[in-house]
């Protein structure tokens, strides 16, 4: 990638490892079946891009901005999403992503984001961390949440039906009106220090 600006372009089956990108703009681009590993991005911007069947991991970002990107059947590992958004835009409710469809989002960080009614349905969020997010009405149905952590979030009205392997403090989050299904919902009681008789 030699240019500094890419708009409306398609990238297919790229395999990039251990490279550096500085001052590159990607706008309304399509990335399909790509693998980006160990790359460094500095002063770059991703706006309105779509990623399909891509694997993104071990990436480092410095002064990178992202907004309105979508992900489908992707594996996205270890991304601090809030760090990709200008704080002023974050305060206005903008997000670095528009949607995740059937994605694996392992060890991602979601801090201070406006995610009301956002759908993570069917995603694998194992090891990810949500802190101080507005997740009222968010859809976690069918998600795998092994090792995922939720701290000081507004989860009121969120849908966890069909989600698996979650366990978080219902005292450390607002959960009024949230929807859960058995038997997984029992795990929420352990955080209250209760002893549950399986008999």
């Amino acid at each position: 990638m030699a240019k500094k600006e890419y708009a409306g372009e398609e990238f297919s089956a790229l395999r990039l490892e251990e490279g550096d990108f500085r001052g590159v703009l990607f706008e309304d681009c399509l990335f399909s079946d790509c693998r980006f590993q160990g790359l460094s991005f500095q002063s770059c911007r991703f706006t309105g891009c779509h990623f399909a069947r891509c694997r993104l991991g071990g990436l480092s970002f410095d002064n990178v901005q992202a907004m309105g990107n979508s992900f489908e059947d992707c594996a996205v590992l270890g991304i601090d999403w809030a760090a990709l958004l200008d704080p002023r835009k974050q305060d206005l409710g903008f997000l670095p992503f528009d949607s995740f469809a059937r994605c694996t989002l392992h060890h991602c960080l979601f801090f201070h984001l406006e995610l009301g009614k956002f759908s993570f349905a069917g995603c694998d969020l194992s090891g990810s961390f949500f802190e101080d997010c507005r997740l009222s009405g968010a859809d976690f149905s069918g998600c795998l949440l092994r090792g995922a952590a939720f701290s000081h979030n507004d989860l009121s009205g969120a849908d966890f039906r069909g989600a698996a392997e979650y366990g978080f403090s219902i005292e450390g989050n607002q959960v009024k009106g949230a929807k859960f299904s058995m038997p997984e919902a029992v795990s929420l009681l352990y955080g209250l220090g209760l002893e549950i008789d399986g008999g």
Side-chain angles (χ1 to χ4, degrees):
M1 292 183 178
K3 298 192 300 182
K4 288 295 185 181
E5 185 170 335
Y6 298 86
E9 300 197 30
E10 298 186 10
F11 303 92
S12 180
L14 284 179
R15 299 291 186 271
L16 299 177
E17 297 186 9
E18 307 300 330
D20 294 322
F21 292 86
R22 296 172 185 267
V24 184
L25 166 65
F26 298 93
E27 185 173 1
D28 299 324
C29 293
L30 170 62
F31 297 87
S32 58
D33 302 293
C34 296
R35 180 184 176 92
F36 299 150
Q37 182 70 36
L39 302 179
S40 173
F41 294 92
Q42 297 184 10
S43 300
C44 295
R45 195 164 79 231
F46 294 84
T47 305
C49 295
H50 182 72
F51 295 82
R53 302 174 304 282
C54 295
R55 181 176 178 85
L56 314 174
L59 307 180
S60 66
F61 301 102
D62 180 18
N63 191 34
V64 171
Q65 296 294 308
M67 195 166 65
N69 302 289
S70 57
F71 299 82
E72 177 183 1
D73 297 308
C74 291
V76 185
L77 313 176
I79 302 292
D80 179 354
W81 292 104
L84 300 179
L85 194 63
D86 184 293
R88 292 167 296 182
K89 292 180 179 176
Q90 184 174 324
D91 290 342
L92 292 171
F94 289 100
L95 293 170
F97 45 79
D98 270 354
S99 63
F100 294 112
R102 302 174 302 279
C103 289
T104 295
L105 302 164
H106 284 183
H107 306 290
C108 289
L109 305 178
F110 300 87
F111 292 160
H112 315 294
L113 295 175
E114 291 289 326
L115 292 163
K117 297 185 178 179
F118 190 85
S119 178
F120 291 99
C123 290
D124 181 350
L125 288 157
S126 297
S128 289
F129 187 30
F130 293 83
E131 181 177 303
D132 197 26
C133 291
R134 189 173 71 84
L135 287 156
S136 54
D139 188 356
F140 290 95
S141 61
C143 287
L144 179 60
L145 295 166
R146 181 185 301 122
F150 293 82
S151 177
H152 305 293
N153 300 287
D154 179 1
L155 291 165
S156 56
D159 189 352
F160 287 88
R161 290 176 294 187
E165 298 189 42
Y166 54 82
F168 55 85
S169 169
I170 58 177
E171 295 178 309
N173 297 279
Q174 299 177 45
V175 295
K176 183 177 181 179
K179 304 172 184 69
F180 302 94
S181 54
M182 297 294 285
E184 292 291 338
V186 174
S187 64
L188 300 174
L189 300 177
Y190 290 109
L192 298 174
L194 303 178
E195 294 185 18
I196 301 170
D197 186 347

